[in-house]
Amino acid sequence: MLQPGHDPSSTSQLRALWQERAASRGDQLNAVLLARLPTVANNALHEWHCRVIEREVLAYLSEGAEVLDLGCGYGRITERVLQARPDLRLTGIDFSIEFSGMYKRRTGAPAICADVSRLPFPPHSFDAILAITVLMYIEPAHVAAVVRELLDRLRPGGILLMIDPASEYISIARFFGGSKMPTGGDGFSLTSYNSLAAGRPHRVGGMPFLSACLPLALVLRRFPRLTRTILAFAARVDRLLPWGRRITLHRWLRVKGEARRL
Ligand SMILES: C[S@@+](CC[C@H](N)C(=O)[O-])C[C@H]1O[C@@H](n2cnc3c(N)ncnc32)[C@H](O)[C@@H]1O
């Protein structure tokens, strides 16, 4: 459902920016991750996303479960999910016609070209919803309503996983000269992530050590092998010590839908 107060002109501007990005960058990681980061750093971020999805969602899904890839882009997430769990049934939704076409071609899964604020699915349609760096583009005043609609599309016991930039980290990056992306999207604070769970069982996690090391990729551009080793080490430390949810570039929120009916 379109949320009250939703400004359609800003949605069409945002869609145009994403269409442009899809047309200019295609199915490269920097089309959907950080446009200015070197590939080696985007690869580390991609691997971290995939690991969180495996641990927080895939491990809990039964055979043949249905999963929605929200704001699916060209399909990097669905591709990895299907490699790990070919039994799952994935559907993508994205308001960019270019990205939804790429998604279908790359993954073989169906994709719907639509706005995530107007979900074209009835309640209880999915066992899991993956919202990877997409809700950050919804106007802040409407995010809670969109999340409620998403939770409504989950089957009993289903899982919603969001991954978005942490606004605390972005403020620090801007202080040191980091600039806003043309497609916008500021991310969420830890407090707003917790409140989006609206009292339901939830967990939040981050990648503090990897976040501290990622800017090194900009300095060490000419030494990708060294950068890869440092980033892999940082990701391993974050896995061993799951702390530091506040100062992190990306943060995840896992919310459980209504309990399974007995
Ligand atoms: C940063 S990219 C992430 C893509 C994908 N989730 C991934 O992680 O690879 C954001 C995606 O969300 C889509 N998007 C942004 N706002 C949207 C909206 N309101 N409705 C549908 N798609 C949207 C964009 O077209 C883009 O493909």
Side-chain angles (χ1 to χ4, degrees):
M1 202 180 104
L2 189 64
Q3 304 307 321
H6 188 95
D7 174 1
S9 63
S10 67
T11 304
S12 51
Q13 277 168 21
L14 184 65
R15 185 189 292 119
L17 287 168
W18 277 109
Q19 286 280 105
E20 205 179 289
R21 197 151 155 187
S24 63
R25 295 183 187 251
D27 52 359
Q28 305 293 315
L29 278 183
N30 68 3
V32 290
L33 292 177
L34 296 169
R36 297 188 196 100
L37 270 194
T39 308
V40 61
N42 273 325
N43 257 323
L45 207 51
H46 171 61
E47 288 303 325
W48 182 81
H49 289 171
C50 294
R51 222 165 284 125
V52 171
I53 292 167
E54 278 174 20
R55 194 187 60 223
E56 299 299 325
V57 182
L58 302 193
Y60 298 88
L61 295 181
S62 50
E63 190 163 348
E66 285 197 70
V67 181
L68 178 64
D69 186 345
L70 195 82
C72 58
Y74 65 78
R76 72 176 177 107
I77 298 295
T78 287
E79 222 168 41
R80 280 292 288 267
V81 167
L82 287 174
Q83 272 167 20
R85 290 286 305 270
D87 60 293
L88 297 180
R89 289 176 293 157
L90 272 290
T91 300
I93 176 170
D94 200 293
F95 67 2
S96 153
I97 186 87
E98 303 254 357
F99 273 141
S100 24
M102 281 184 219
Y103 177 94
K104 279 192 229 174
R105 286 193 296 279
R106 276 187 72 116
T107 67
I112 294 167
C113 185
D115 191 322
V116 302
S117 307
R118 292 169 171 267
L119 291 173
F121 310 104
H124 312 303
S125 295
F126 298 101
D127 300 291
I129 299 178
L130 305 173
I132 314 304
T133 59
V134 58
L135 295 176
M136 60 187 278
Y137 299 107
I138 301 293
E139 282 179 54
H142 305 310
V143 176
V146 173
V147 169
R148 272 198 302 276
E149 293 283 324
L150 291 172
L151 291 169
D152 180 58
R153 299 314 189 272
L154 285 178
R155 297 197 175 118
I159 300 169
L160 166 64
L161 180 77
M162 295 171 54
I163 300 182
D164 291 287
S167 55
E168 299 89 341
Y169 184 96
I170 290 179
S171 307
I172 296 172
R174 294 231 173 95
F175 181 79
F176 287 103
S179 55
K180 210 174 163 112
M181 295 290 291
T183 39
D186 272 341
F188 299 95
S189 68
L190 181 56
T191 312
S192 56
Y193 242 21
N194 278 321
S195 69
L196 284 175
R200 290 167 191 255
H202 69 284
R203 278 213 301 261
V204 180
M207 41 176 269
F209 198 47
L210 184 55
S211 307
C213 294
L214 274 171
L216 273 181
L218 292 168
V219 183
L220 299 175
R221 266 179 197 280
R222 292 173 52 210
F223 308 100
R225 214 182 283 174
L226 172 66
T227 316
R228 198 173 304 117
T229 309
I230 295 171
L231 297 182
F233 174 71
R236 181 168 295 205
V237 172
D238 280 337
R239 271 208 302 286
L240 294 175
L241 305 167
W243 37 255
R245 297 165 301 160
R246 191 171 287 277
I247 305 304
T248 174
L249 171 58
H250 280 186
R251 171 191 291 136
W252 55 266
L253 167 68
R254 175 194 196 272
V255 190
K256 284 269 274 179
E258 297 296 340
R260 218 168 268 285
R261 288 190 199 103
L262 295 175

